[in-house]
Amino acid sequence: MGLLIRNGEIVTASERYRADIWCESETITRIGSGLSAPPGAEVIDATGKYVFPGFIDPHVHIYLPCMGTFAKDTHETASKAALVGGTTTWIEMLGPDRSEEPMAGFELWLGKAQGHSACDFTFHMTVSRYDDAAEKQLIEIVRRGVSSFKVYLAYKGAFGLTDEDLYKTLRLARKLGVITTAHCENADLITALQTKLVAEGKAGPEWHYESRPPLVEAEGVHHLLTFAQVNDAHVYVVHLSCVEALREAVAARYRGVKVWTETLIQYLLLDKTCAERPEFEGAKYIMSPPLRDRANQEVLWNALRDGLIDTLATDHAPFDFASQKRMGEKDFTKIPSGIPSLEDRVNAFYTYGVKRGRLDLHRFVEAASTQAAKLFGLFPRKGTIQPGSDADLVVYDPAYRGTLSMRTQMMNVDYNPFEGLAIEGRPHVVTVRGQVAARDGKFVGKIGRGRFLEREPNHF
Ligand code: MN
Ligand code: MN
């Protein structure tokens, strides 16, 4: 038994060298040259290939009720897609709304994932209401291994917190040593702009952008960071999309606010003109915050390179174009929000980041894996390659050439937002805790083997 990965070029956030990796049961136990495998061990030849730590997507939605329907992926289909694309761990938004009890939500989401996922997983716990009962349950949920919160400044009435509750949530987070992730857009401004646009007959998907302009996001970021500063709390801005919002985050960081930021592969490669496509096709590209003007992309890339933006995620939330997106045919506010991308994040980031010279291999690994592991209490179990770490490895073939397409994807949705996009590299072999789970675009793992990763608070 055991797994030997031979002759690969190991690349972590800080190192690059050629060596063999020996994995026993679920763990990396030796790294060196000329390692030999005992009889019965599985040997993978990684000559000419990189070996990366398993990639981590810190922001996905899998079980996602939305406007009377559900996002299309199950934990089974999503974990297949993740693994084929090199993502071995994800952090799912655990999202009870304000009418539901936090603990009931925790049990529901955990039950949906456990026994149904092939990759490892954990959650950000949504705080949509704050009272004594909720507080007690949140403390218990943190004790059970979920050491990050999620708050929404948008979506008032469903998930959005009042300022009073936002203050109390961040105060509790500070006390427990928990980081709070946040969707930053001003809810009332969005509602006002949506109402105005629809009343003017501006109801097509191209108007979604106008209802949530960059200023609305920048205000949300500033708002969150003011509350974070007052509480001395650790916060993480999810899906940062534009220069205006980035400016607020950077300014706060330099005045001492403990803030980290995430952007998405969609914002780096797609822009607002996608949502303006005719025949309602723009609906495929509706997400919030919206895709932005192309001029933002170079800034986001550079900020990612320099670490002003910390992580790259997907906010994966797939809805079928033929049926679900059509719910908003007469009114863009009823289009389910989300652009599927869980499967394609790593390959697109490698191709358009590393191969195009926008960032180096180390920063690529850091932004797509290591940094999320460190921020969310998974490091060094995940996010790096060293003895003692979980044997989550991506043997990556930089010679592969292909295109992204709905026809070949594992994601359970009827379109691919990057249809036809060329990629230059993809995982040859992907392992989860010492077992091969994907090989050359095919899933070969075990559904249900994915483990709930319990995380300690106070790991900063
Ligand atoms: Mn969001
Ligand atoms: Mn999200």
Side-chain angles (χ1 to χ4, degrees), residues 369-392:
S369 175
T370 315
Q371 186 67 66
K374 288 180 175 172
L375 281 172
F376 299 116
L378 293 167
F379 189 84
R381 181 176 176 189
K382 308 289 191 189
T384 194
I385 298 175
Q386 65 185 50
S389 294
D390 283 356
D392 296 354

Side-chain angles (χ1 to χ4, degrees), residues 263-271 294-309 312 345 347-367 418 421-422 424:
T263 192
L264 310 179
I265 190 70
Q266 295 94 320
Y267 297 135
L268 297 176
L269 297 176
L270 305 171
D271 65 59
R294 199 168 195 81
N296 289 280
Q297 291 178 353
E298 211 54 39
V299 179
L300 295 179
W301 276 112
N302 292 336
L304 254 179
R305 178 196 63 206
D306 293 347
L308 293 176
I309 293 175
L312 185 80
R345 175 185 65 126
N347 294 329
F349 192 35
Y350 175 80
T351 303
Y352 295 94
V354 177
K355 291 285 286 184
R356 296 292 181 273
R358 289 179 164 126
L359 39 76
D360 68 19
L361 275 172
H362 302 293
R363 187 55 202 143
F364 160 73
V365 170
E366 190 173 38
F418 306 110
L421 189 74
E424 302 172 13

